[in-house]
Amino acid sequence: MPDTTLTSDPSHDRPSGGSYDDAAGFYTLGEPLVDPKAPEGPIDQRWQQRKFDARLVNPANRRKLDVIIVGTGLAGGSAAATLGEAGYNVKSFCYQDSPRRAHSIAAQGGINAAKNYKEDGDSVHRLFYDTVKGGDYRSRESNVYRLAEVSTNIIDQCVAQGVPFAREYGGLLDNRSFGGVQVSRTFYARGQTGQQLLIGAYQAMERQVKAGTVTEYTRHEMLEVIVVDGRARGIIARDLVTGEVETHTADVVVLASGGYGNVFYLSTNAMGSNVTAAWRAHRKGAYMANPCYTQIHPTCIPVSGSHQSKLTLMSESLRNDGRIWVPKNKSDADKDPRDIPEEDRDYYLERIYPSFGNLVPRDIASRAAKYQCDDGKGVGPEVDGVRRGVYLDFAAAIERLGRDAVESKYGNLFDMYARITGENPYEVPMRIYPAVHYVMGGLWVDYDLQSSIPGLFVTGEANFSDHGANRLGASALMQGLADGYFVLPHTIRDYLADGPFEEVPADHPAVVEAEKSVQDRIDHFLGVNGTRSVDSYHRELGNIMWEYCGMERSEDGLKKAIDLIRTLKDDFYRNVKVLGAADTLNQSLEKAGRVADFFELGELMCIDALNRRESCGGHFRAESQTEDGEALRHDDEFAYVSAWEWAGEDELPVLHKEDLVYTAIEMKQRSYK
Amino acid sequence: MKLTLKIWRQPDASAKGAMRTYELDDVSPDMSFLEMLDVLNEELNEQGEEPIAFDSDCREGICGMCSLMINGDAHGPEVTTTCQLHMRSFSDGDTITIEPWRAAAFPVVKDLVVDRSAFDRIIQQGGYVSVNTGAAPEAHSVQVPKDAADRAFDVATCIGCGACVAACPNGSASLFVGAKITHLGELPQGQAERDGRVVDMVAQHDHEGFGGCTNIGACTAACPKEIPLDVISQLNKDLRSSMMRGR
Ligand SMILES: Cc1cc2nc3c(=O)[nH]c(=O)nc-3n(C[C@H](O)[C@H](O)[C@H](O)COP(=O)(O)OP(=O)(O)OC[C@H]3O[C@@H](n4cnc5c(N)ncnc54)[C@H](O)[C@@H]3O)c2cc1C
Ligand code: SF4
Ligand code: FES
C-alpha cells in the first residue's frame, strides 16, 4: 500500500477537548524555540549561504584561539583533526587510554553517502528524503539536507586517508543496500566500518598532535562546564589516573561525547559510554532535546544470566534468511528446538505480517519479540524469572541453499554467536532478543550545532538534530563525520571571529563554583559508605527504564517509572558504597558519577515520553495505535522537538517546543501493511 | 564452577605489587572472563576490599581496551580478546593466574591496568596519510586493486591492544608497527610518505623502549586479530629500501 497523507486520525482515543496532557504536573511550559538559525531560501542553497556568511578568522589569529573538544569518536576525532589543521589550538579529551578506542569503533554495518555510483536513482535529494522519512518526520529538515549534501565529501576524505573500503574487482568502491533502502548507497569495510573510519580520523588527529596543534588528554573525564557571562569558557576534568581535578579554559567548547543508551544498563554500547558530559552541560543551561527517542535493534544476542554486562549486536541481515519462531506451548521452552515439530511452532511474524514476514521494520520486529516473551513463550535461560529470547532458525535456509552458501553469507556472524553462546548455530537455531542500540535524542543545537549555551557546540550522537524519531542504518556514522569534518569547522569560525575572549582567571567565581561542585560530588560518593554497589543501582535503574520507557510506553507505566526512579535515586545517594580514594584510579568512583547523572536523565526521558502521546519511530505509546495495533503518529499535535531546560534542583523541567516545518518535503504517515 | 584466582594487585605505578589469591564460587560458563571479574569485584566491594582495576570498554573485541595475561597467555588460551573469552574455556576447580601486560614500554598504572600511550606516540610519527580535510580528490579518481584493498583491510584490523608486545620475550611492538606500515603501504594513498613513515615510526618504537624483533613469532600467535607475521618482513623491507633511498 502506498503512503497516505495523514489528514485525520480516527482512533484518537483520548478525552476530547484538546487540553488533555499526560505529563501535566511533571513539567512547566516555556517559550517556544522559534529560531534554529537555518538560513532562509531554497533548501539546496542554505548550507552554501551559511558557509559564505560565516565570518573568517585569519590564520595568525587562529593560533591564539583555544578550542576544547570532549570526545574522540567520529564526531570529536574528525573535528580535532580539522580544527588542528586550520591552526587553532585544540585540546582533546577522552576517558579511554587512547583516542582510538572511542565507541564509534564498534559500528559494523556501514556509512551512507549519496554518491550514486550505482546509477540506481540515488541523489542528495533522495538521501535527504529517505532520512527525513526514516526519522518519522521528527528531524529538522535543513540539517538533514546538509547531511545528505556533505555525505559525498566524507567518502572522498576517508579514501584519501587510506580507509580500506570494500572494492570491486575493477578497483572501484563497492556499495550495498542497507536498512530497507532501495538504492545501494552504503559504503563499508567488511563488518568493521566504524573501526576503519575511526582509525582514519584518529590518524588524522595524531598527525596534528605531532604538528603541535592538538594536545590529547586521555584517561580524562569531563565533569563540568565552566560558564562565564553566559558563555561556555572551559571544562573541569578529572585525570582518571592521578585523580587530580583540573581546570581547562578555552574560547569555545565542543561536546562530542556520544550517546546515553547505557541508561538502560544493558545495551550494545561500550561499558563506559555515559551521559555525564551532556548532562552536566544540561544543568548549566543547555537544553536536552527529545531524550526519549531510543533506537532498539531486534537482532542482538540475548541475556544469558544476571551477571551480564552488555549485549552484542548481530547484523540485521540475518533476518533475510532466518525464520523467527517461538514454541506454541510454554512447556516446550526447555526442549531442544530441533525436537519441536513444525505444528508446535509459531512463526509469529509470518503469521501477523504476512506481506513482510521476518523483514518487518526494526521496531515492529522488536516489539513482537517482547510480546512473545512477556507472554511466557520466550526461550533460552531464565533470567529474573523470564526467558528473553526467540529463535532465529536457519534450518530451512541451510536445506534450501546448502550449508556452504549460508556459511559464506553469514559465517563471521555465526562464529561470533558461537563464541558468545557456546552453541553451534548451524545445528541449533540461534536465539535473539532486541537491545538498546542508539539514541536519537541529545543536547539541542541550532543549525550551527551550537547549544542553548553560547560557545558550547555539540556534535555526533551527543546532539539531537538529524535523526528524528527513528534512525536508518548507516546514518549515525555519516552524521558524526559530517559534523566533525565539514559542518562544525565552518560554523565555529563564525563564533570564534569574536575571539579571543578575555582570559578567565583561575579564581573566577564561575571556575571556583564548577571546581567545587565536582569536588563536592567526589567527596559525597566516597563519604556515603553505604551497603550497595554502584553497579547494582545501575542495573536496577536499567530494568526500570527498559520495562517502562523501552520498546513500549504507557501513561501508567511511565508515571510508575518516575516514582520508582525517584525512590531509587534517593536510596542511591544515601546508601551507595564506593571504596578507594579520590587521588588514584578509582573505577567505582567514576561509575558513581555517571550513574548519578543517569538517574536524572532517566527521569527526564520518562517525562518526555509521557508528554509525547503519539507513537513515532521506535517510540511506541500504547495509547496511540491503529486498530491493527500499529504505531500511530499525531502530526497535528506533536510535530515538534521537545527541548527541555533544567530549572534547578527539585524544580520541574521546562519544556520549550520547536515546531518542525517542512518546506521541501511533505509529511506522510507510515504504513507497514 | 569454583575457581581459585591469583591476581596481581598494585595500588599505583610506584608501589610494589604482589599476587593475591581469591576464591570464587558459582561461576557460570556463559560468563565472559571480564564478567567473572565483575562478579568478583561485587564480592570484594561487599567485603570492604577495593575492587580490582582492569581495563575494558566495548566488550565485543573491537576497541582494544581490555588486556590481561591469563595463565601466562596474552588474552588467555583462545585466539581472541579477553572480553570475548568465556568461562567455558576453563574447568571447575581451576586455578587461574591473572597479571597485567608485562613490557617496559607499558608501565603498570594500577592492578591490571597498564599505560599503552606509547602506541599513540608511534602513530604520531607518520602512521597516517597527510591529507587535510576538504583537500581530498573524488574517491573514484584512484582505483585500488581489490587484492590490495583486501590485504590493506586485513592488516588494518589491528586493534592496538598490545598483546603482541606482552607475548614477545623481547617486548617488541614490531607486529603493531608492521601492521600499520603494511596497511598504508598497500594503498596508493600511502605511497608519498612511505619511506619517511617507516623510518620515523621505527625510531619512535625504539625510543619508547620496545625491544627488537628476533623472529620468535609469539606476537602473531597471541594476536586476537591474527595479524600475520609477514607484516614484519614488510616492515624490514620498507626500512631497507628507505635507507637505500637515503632517508
Ligand atoms: C554495536 C553498534 C553498531 C553500530 N553500527 C552502526 C552502523 O553500522 N552505522 C551507523 O551509521 N551507525 C552505527 N552505530 C551508531 C554509531 O556507531 C554511533 O552513533 C557513533 O559512532 C557515535 O559517534 P560519536 O563520535 O558521536 O561518539 P562516540 O564514538 O561514542 O565517542 C564518544 C567520545 O566521548 C568521550 N567521552 C564521553 N564522555 C566523556 C567525558 N565525560 N569526558 C571525556 N570524554 C568523554 C569518549 O571517550 C569517546 O571518545 C552503531 C552503534 C553500535 C553501538
Ligand atoms: S598486532 Fe594484534 S596483538 Fe598487536 S596490537 Fe594489533 S591486534 Fe593487538
Ligand atoms: S573491551 Fe574492547 S576489545 Fe575487549
Side-chain angles (χ1 to χ4, degrees):
Chain A
M1 200 178 96
D3 281 339
T4 46
T5 306
L6 180 79
T7 44
S8 66
D9 70 71
S11 64
H12 232 152
D13 66 343
R14 77 195 64 191
S16 56
S19 61
Y20 190 76
D21 182 356
D22 293 351
F26 290 96
Y27 75 100
T28 59
L29 194 63
E31 292 293 307
L33 283 166
V34 284
D35 185 17
K37 289 215 304 234
E40 305 278 314
I43 195 149
D44 55 355
Q45 285 161 36
R46 289 180 196 168
W47 178 229
Q48 296 306 327
Q49 189 61 44
R50 181 68 193 115
K51 278 199 287 189
F52 181 77
D53 291 342
R55 290 166 295 163
L56 301 173
V57 179
N58 100 39
N61 287 342
R62 292 182 204 158
R63 272 192 299 278
K64 298 179 208 145
L65 289 161
D66 297 330
V67 180
I68 284 176
I69 302 178
V70 180
T72 60
L74 289 180
S78 57
T82 306
L83 293 171
E85 287 159 13
Y88 297 101
N89 184 19
V90 178
K91 287 182 174 181
S92 150
F93 293 81
C94 69
Y95 67 74
Q96 293 94 343
D97 68 329
S98 165
R100 65 178 292 146
R101 309 208 201 280
H103 176 56
S104 295
I105 200 113
Q108 301 170 355
I111 178 168
N112 282 338
K115 279 287 199 188
N116 193 26
Y117 282 158
K118 297 283 171 199
E119 198 53 32
D120 55 1
D122 201 11
S123 63
V124 167
H125 199 87
R126 190 174 298 277
L127 176 53
F128 159 65
Y129 175 80
D130 287 349
T131 308
V132 170
K133 189 165 159 241
D136 245 354
Y137 303 90
R138 292 293 177 266
S139 50
R140 196 189 282 144
E141 178 184 72
S142 46
N143 288 57
V144 179
Y145 194 91
R146 175 175 65 192
L147 175 66
E149 193 178 336
V150 304
S151 67
T152 57
N153 300 349
I154 295 174
I155 304 305
D156 298 343
Q157 183 65 31
C158 296
V159 166
Q161 289 171 344
V163 170
F165 282 120
R167 299 256 167 186
E168 294 171 341
Y169 281 100
L172 298 178
L173 292 155
D174 193 14
N175 297 120
R176 58 184 174 197
S177 80
F178 198 77
V181 173
Q182 284 161 335
V183 293
S184 285
R185 64 160 74 104
T186 307
F187 293 78
Y188 65 102
R190 249 171 264 170
Q192 301 175 10
T193 315
Q195 182 194 25
Q196 296 308 322
L197 295 174
L198 183 67
I199 294 296
Y202 157 75
Q203 288 174 182
M205 175 177 146
E206 293 303 309
R207 171 174 164 243
Q208 292 315 120
V209 173
K210 184 183 183 191
T213 60
V214 174
T215 311
E216 62 187 30
Y217 294 83
T218 56
R219 290 200 200 267
H220 272 67
E221 182 162 44
M222 168 200 153
L223 295 172
E224 261 320 329
V225 196
I226 298 170
V227 181
V228 177
D229 299 333
R231 286 177 194 268
R233 291 302 311 276
I235 62 168
I236 309 289
R238 181 167 175 269
D239 179 331
L240 299 179
V241 175
T242 64
E244 195 178 332
V245 174
E246 303 171 355
T247 300
H248 296 269
T249 56
D251 294 286
V252 70
V253 177
V254 180
L255 297 188
S257 48
Y260 51 76
N262 277 0
V263 64
F264 291 91
Y265 189 73
L266 285 181
S267 81
T268 64
N269 287 0
M271 297 294 288
S273 295
N274 67 88
V275 77
T276 287
W279 194 258
R280 296 280 117 198
H282 173 60
R283 291 176 55 112
K284 280 273 164 69
Y287 297 171
M288 179 59 87
N290 297 341
C292 79
Y293 286 171
T294 308
Q295 195 185 61
I296 290 164
H297 201 287
T299 52
C300 299
I301 301 178
V303 177
S304 65
S306 52
H307 57 264
Q308 191 118 358
S309 57
K310 75 156 282 170
L311 298 172
T312 303
L313 179 137
M314 285 189 302
S315 171
E316 232 180 334
S317 62
L318 289 170
R319 289 201 282 146
N320 288 326
D321 286 305
R323 295 182 71 194
I324 296 175
W325 63 277
V326 292
K328 281 186 183 155
N329 309 317
K330 297 178 188 175
S331 53
D332 284 349
D334 266 335
K335 257 199 193 155
D336 184 327
R338 290 168 296 188
D339 296 341
I340 301 177
E342 215 40 42
E343 64 271 19
D344 288 339
R345 301 173 174 195
D346 180 8
Y347 295 91
Y348 58 89
L349 288 176
E350 298 169 33
R351 174 170 59 78
I352 309 172
Y353 305 95
S355 55
F356 274 78
N358 296 300
L359 290 174
V360 291
R362 284 183 180 178
D363 52 330
I364 299 196
S366 299
R367 238 173 10 253
K370 178 177 191 291
Y371 293 156
Q372 296 300 326
C373 299
D374 287 352
D375 200 25
K377 302 229 177 92
V379 295
E382 214 174 85
V383 181
D384 300 329
V386 197
R387 297 173 198 273
R388 301 216 176 271
V390 299
Y391 289 125
L392 175 64
D393 197 339
F394 283 84
I398 291 174
E399 207 176 298
R400 184 164 39 93
L401 307 166
R403 184 182 152 138
D404 287 352
V406 170
E407 190 167 341
S408 76
K409 247 169 136 172
Y410 305 114
N412 56 344
L413 295 167
F414 278 43
D415 292 347
M416 181 172 88
Y417 181 86
R419 169 163 295 291
I420 292 174
T421 62
E423 288 169 14
N424 179 351
Y426 293 102
E427 316 246 300
V428 191
M430 287 185 173
R431 287 172 292 110
I432 55 166
Y433 198 67
V436 168
H437 162 62
Y438 175 78
V439 293
M440 290 80 76
L443 291 178
W444 183 89
V445 289
D446 63 17
Y447 187 71
D448 282 352
L449 305 182
Q450 184 166 221
S451 73
S452 48
I453 302 177
L456 184 75
F457 290 76
V458 189
T459 60
E461 195 174 337
N463 78 22
F464 89 102
S465 60
D466 293 9
H467 302 297
N470 202 349
R471 173 207 156 242
L472 300 167
S475 46
L477 298 181
M478 175 170 64
Q479 186 220 342
L481 290 180
D483 286 0
Y485 284 135
F486 298 109
V487 179
L488 177 82
H490 290 290
T491 60
I492 208 172
R493 73 178 145 85
D494 185 56
Y495 181 82
L496 286 171
D498 287 328
F501 300 102
E502 207 171 301
E503 194 89 15
V504 180
D507 60 353
H508 190 285
V511 175
V512 176
E513 179 275 326
E515 278 171 353
K516 182 169 177 319
S517 105
V518 168
Q519 199 58 55
D520 286 352
R521 265 158 70 90
I522 294 173
D523 295 345
H524 173 82
F525 293 131
L526 289 172
V528 184
N529 226 336
T531 59
R532 270 184 73 176
S533 72
V534 177
D535 275 351
S536 75
Y537 283 102
H538 192 177
R539 227 177 255 275
E540 194 173 334
L541 172 67
N543 283 339
I544 299 171
M545 294 303 295
W546 178 248
E547 195 54 37
Y548 301 109
C549 197
M551 274 181 271
E552 181 170 332
R553 300 104 186 249
S554 70
E555 182 180 343
D556 290 346
L558 288 164
K559 287 182 172 163
K560 184 167 176 196
I562 293 170
D563 256 4
L564 290 170
I565 293 170
R566 288 178 179 168
T567 312
L568 188 66
K569 176 178 147 190
D570 240 38
D571 190 66
F572 171 77
Y573 276 97
R574 282 184 288 106
N575 199 23
V576 72
K577 180 172 188 170
V578 180
L579 299 170
D583 60 352
T584 157
L585 186 78
N586 187 336
Q587 292 169 331
S588 313
L589 179 62
E590 292 165 27
K591 285 191 266 188
R594 294 170 190 163
V595 172
D597 292 336
F598 278 139
F599 273 118
E600 293 177 4
L601 168 75
E603 185 178 328
L604 187 67
M605 286 170 75
C606 293
I607 295 173
D608 188 47
L610 201 50
N611 170 258
R612 192 166 288 276
R613 193 187 172 102
E614 67 163 345
S615 298
C616 62
H619 170 96
F620 190 82
R621 264 304 282 268
E623 295 89 345
S624 183
Q625 45 184 304
T626 64
E627 273 163 25
D628 313 331
E630 302 305 348
L632 182 67
R633 243 175 42 215
H634 297 299
D635 294 338
D636 48 343
E637 288 172 88
F638 295 106
Y640 61 75
V641 172
S642 51
W644 297 91
E645 180 186 356
W646 174 261
E649 215 75 54
D650 302 320
E651 298 292 327
L652 297 178
V654 183
L655 172 60
H656 300 272
K657 296 180 184 176
E658 177 197 330
D659 282 333
L660 290 164
V661 184
Y662 292 95
T663 58
I665 213 164
E666 183 191 8
M667 282 198 203
K668 302 261 183 75
Q669 190 71 340
R670 273 212 293 177
S671 166
Y672 307 122
K673 290 268 155 137
Chain B
M1 307 194 271
K2 205 169 146 29
L3 299 172
T4 302
L5 303 168
K6 297 191 160 167
I7 302 181
W8 183 258
R9 303 286 326 238
Q10 181 174 339
D12 60 56
S14 52
K16 240 181 94 182
M19 298 300 284
R20 293 272 320 262
T21 303
Y22 302 92
E23 304 288 334
L24 196 58
D25 301 336
D26 265 353
V27 174
S28 141
D30 287 332
M31 289 178 182
S32 73
F33 198 84
L34 299 181
E35 285 166 352
M36 182 275 293
L37 287 179
D38 290 341
V39 171
L40 173 65
N41 273 344
E42 284 287 289
E43 284 189 10
L44 292 181
N45 200 67
E46 194 134 303
Q47 293 155 14
E49 180 172 344
E50 202 185 333
I52 298 152
F54 62 89
D55 266 333
S56 79
D57 203 19
C58 75
R59 295 211 177 180
E60 53 186 75
I62 189 76
C63 74
M65 185 95 172
C66 58
S67 47
L68 305 191
M69 290 303 271
I70 301 166
N71 288 338
D73 294 326
H75 290 306
E78 318 259 339
V79 182
T80 188
T81 55
T82 300
C83 59
Q84 289 293 290
L85 177 67
H86 284 74
M87 296 315 292
R88 66 182 77 89
S89 300
F90 300 88
S91 316
D92 191 25
D94 275 0
T95 297
I96 306 177
T97 309
I98 310 171
E99 298 162 277
W101 279 172
R102 286 294 157 92
F106 290 162
V108 174
V109 172
K110 178 172 182 167
D111 296 342
L112 303 170
V113 175
V114 301
D115 178 355
R116 286 168 286 191
S117 53
F119 271 12
D120 293 329
R121 290 189 292 273
I122 291 176
I123 296 295
Q124 283 156 24
Q125 298 304 318
Y128 44 73
V129 175
S130 297
V131 49
N132 280 4
T133 304
E138 154 51 50
H140 266 181
S141 60
V142 181
Q143 276 131 295
V144 181
K146 189 173 183 329
D147 296 349
D150 286 351
R151 163 99 169 140
F153 175 86
D154 284 339
V155 294
T157 56
C158 161
I159 55 175
C161 62
C164 46
V165 177
C168 174
N170 305 330
S172 172
S174 292
L175 198 68
F176 169 78
V177 179
K180 187 50 59 194
I181 294 292
T182 310
H183 162 206
L184 297 175
E186 280 291 334
L187 298 170
Q189 291 82 3
Q191 298 313 313
E193 297 166 289
R194 190 165 178 170
D195 287 349
R197 174 181 306 123
V198 68
V199 173
D200 292 346
M201 286 178 75
V202 167
Q204 188 68 28
H205 169 276
D206 298 348
H207 176 78
E208 294 288 348
F210 291 106
C213 172
T214 50
N215 268 319
I216 296 164
C219 52
T220 184
C223 173
K225 298 296 151 181
E226 301 179 65
I227 302 292
L229 202 57
D230 64 8
V231 300
I232 301 183
S233 333
Q234 187 67 57
L235 171 71
N236 290 328
K237 225 160 89 190
D238 277 22
L239 199 55
R240 274 196 306 275
S241 54
S242 68
M243 302 277 185
M244 257 143 55
R245 278 197 286 270
R247 230 319 300 243

